[in-house]
Amino acid sequence: MKKGYWMAMVSVLDEENYPQYIAANKAAFDKYGAKFLVRGGQASSPEGFGANRHVVIEFESYETALACYHSPEYQAALKLRRAFSASHFAIVEGA
């Protein structure tokens, strides 16, 4: 079975409150077995637009990645992410 991934480029607009989102998403990520491959760190954007935070999260399957996103736990956290940041976000199936 192919793995599923969340890929996000996030521009944090409210550094003071963004940690609320990080705390809130833990319930969904624990429930769905999320594994962070990239979470912040140094980055450069030699092409296209940039962001100040990059995230890649691995899930057991594409279906699990979708289920996590649509879960009540993540939807509650998502409200915080949208309040404190702007994002480009995709859920993709692995190779």
Side-chain angles (χ1 to χ4, degrees):
M1 178 179 294
K2 295 181 180 181
K3 295 188 184 249
Y5 296 88
W6 286 16
M7 300 178 358
M9 294 179 66
V10 181
S11 293
V12 177
L13 306 173
D14 184 341
E15 294 279 349
E16 183 177 330
N17 287 304
Y18 191 78
Q20 292 178 43
Y21 163 69
I22 294 171
N25 67 32
K26 185 176 180 349
F29 292 158
D30 287 350
K31 180 177 179 179
Y32 289 92
K35 178 182 176 185
F36 284 87
L37 303 180
V38 176
R39 190 175 200 179
Q42 293 186 50
S44 64
S45 298
E47 296 184 30
F49 62 91
N52 59 16
R53 187 169 180 83
H54 299 81
V55 180
V56 177
I57 305 172
E58 181 179 79
F59 293 88
E60 177 181 296
S61 67
Y62 177 72
E63 290 75 18
T64 303
L66 288 173
C68 183
Y69 183 82
H70 293 292
S71 71
E73 297 88 353
Y74 188 73
Q75 290 300 303
L78 178 58
K79 291 176 185 175
L80 296 171
R81 178 170 60 86
R82 288 182 173 159
F84 305 136
S85 67
S87 303
H88 290 272
F89 183 91
I91 301 172
V92 299
E93 184 177 61

